[in-house]
Amino acid sequence: MKRALYAFLISCMLALTAIGFAACGGTQIKQVTLVDWEDKTIEVDLYSDVTVDNSAVYDTEGNAYATKAEVTKKSGEAVLALDGTFRADYAGGYSIVYTLADESVSATSKTVTVKIKETDTPAPYFKTCLLY
């Protein structure tokens, strides 16, 4: 009786393991080509607000895909874009890397390089104030 019970339990565990592996291995990543999905460079003024465009993108067949964006300073530090914008307060520039939000679909990433405009305005000069 014990042998029959052990054999039944082992066969149930093997069956559940096989079903689990079959479910995991069935996911395939679809490769798509997106329309108007090229890298570009923009130039903005220092301390201006930059909009992160998270609108849908389309493939060559007309299917829409959601995007996600990661903003980083050129130094590598992550930048938080609240409500789709961030303040360009770092003179070194930024990178915005767009990828597809759906991990079952693969496409090349898109990078927007944000350069800060050079200005002719001299840096402020502050005189030292001595108090007597």
Side-chain angles (χ1 to χ4, degrees):
M1 180 78 173
K2 282 186 180 181
R3 281 188 172 180
L5 182 61
Y6 286 135
F8 175 73
L9 289 175
I10 290 174
S11 64
C12 286
M13 288 183 354
L14 290 173
L16 290 174
T17 303
I19 291 171
F21 281 126
C24 291
T27 305
Q28 294 207 359
I29 296 178
K30 178 182 175 184
Q31 180 69 35
V32 296
T33 302
L34 300 173
V35 178
D36 296 328
W37 189 252
E38 297 88 21
D39 292 348
K40 66 179 181 178
T41 299
I42 61 173
E43 199 171 49
V44 300
D45 292 322
L46 187 62
Y47 300 112
S48 64
D49 289 333
V50 179
T51 300
V52 177
D53 183 15
N54 277 338
S55 59
V57 295
Y58 297 88
D59 65 10
T60 54
E61 297 173 0
N63 300 313
Y65 300 97
T67 60
K68 59 183 178 180
E70 184 177 304
V71 182
T72 55
K73 294 180 181 179
K74 287 295 181 184
S75 64
E77 180 182 348
V79 176
L80 182 61
L82 296 174
D83 294 328
T85 61
F86 68 93
R87 176 69 46 106
D89 58 1
Y90 174 70
Y94 298 84
S95 287
I96 307 170
V97 178
Y98 293 93
T99 56
L100 296 182
D102 185 354
E103 294 180 6
S104 69
V105 181
S106 177
T108 58
S109 62
K110 172 184 172 180
T111 302
V112 175
T113 302
V114 181
K115 291 186 175 183
I116 306 301
K117 290 180 185 175
E118 301 238 353
T119 179
D120 293 336
T121 306
Y125 175 75
F126 298 100
K127 292 185 177 182
T128 304
C129 180
L130 297 175
L131 298 176
Y132 293 98

